[in-house]
Amino acid sequence: MDIASVDELLTTTRSVRRRLDLDRPVGRDVILECITLAMQAPTASNAQDWRWLVVTDPDKRAAIGEIYRSIGAEYLAYAAKDASDAQTQRVYAGALALTETLGRVPVHVIPCLNSRIDNSNMLTAASAWASIIPAGWSFLLALRSRGLGSVWTTMHLAKEREVAELLGIPATATQAALFPVAYTIGTDFRPAARPPAETVTYWDTWG
């Protein structure tokens, strides 16, 4: 295994919002390749209960984009101005920009659980999320390795049932995220600024 290549993939798979190519088509085969890889991620109790809804219909993408904008535009505009540091300001500004372009991103992928966890205890809820989050991140890594990008968004979940009705998602399923998928404009992504691991790592006891 080429550790350097793996480390580069892990450290440069960024949240891509502004550098999504809105005009370049994304083929069905590459999406299925990435989903196939994502499905190698573990699931709690080997449930394998992930489901993947891929949205390419222009009208449905536009409708999702409008739902997303209606939820996030005002909040993100305020947050971008109120952020205390430059890096966070850029993140919020990028998220705000996505509210205007989401409907035009070529593919939307919604990872779901084929169950509901409403009012579940912490153990049940944690197990359920642990069955979809690793697969979702593997999907994003697979995109990066193929020259595509995305960002893990959850804003649309404020109107989950509205999106479910638009896409025919049954009430027995749980949407976990929304990935707007496109080829990236350039592939020269860099590691983000993060604190040293020693400053956030405890050994044997907290603090």
Side-chain angles (χ1 to χ4, degrees), residues 16-26 104-107 147-149 181-186:
V16 185
R17 302 177 181 91
R18 294 183 184 273
R19 292 174 58 182
L20 297 172
D21 190 333
L22 305 180
D23 299 314
R24 182 178 175 183
V26 176
R104 296 170 52 208
V105 178
V107 179
L148 296 100
V181 177
Y183 283 95
T184 58
I185 300 171

Side-chain angles (χ1 to χ4, degrees), residues 35 68 87 91 101 128 130-131 137 168 170 173 186 201:
I35 291 174
Y68 192 89
Q87 183 179 11
V91 169
T101 60
S131 293
W137 186 241
T201 303

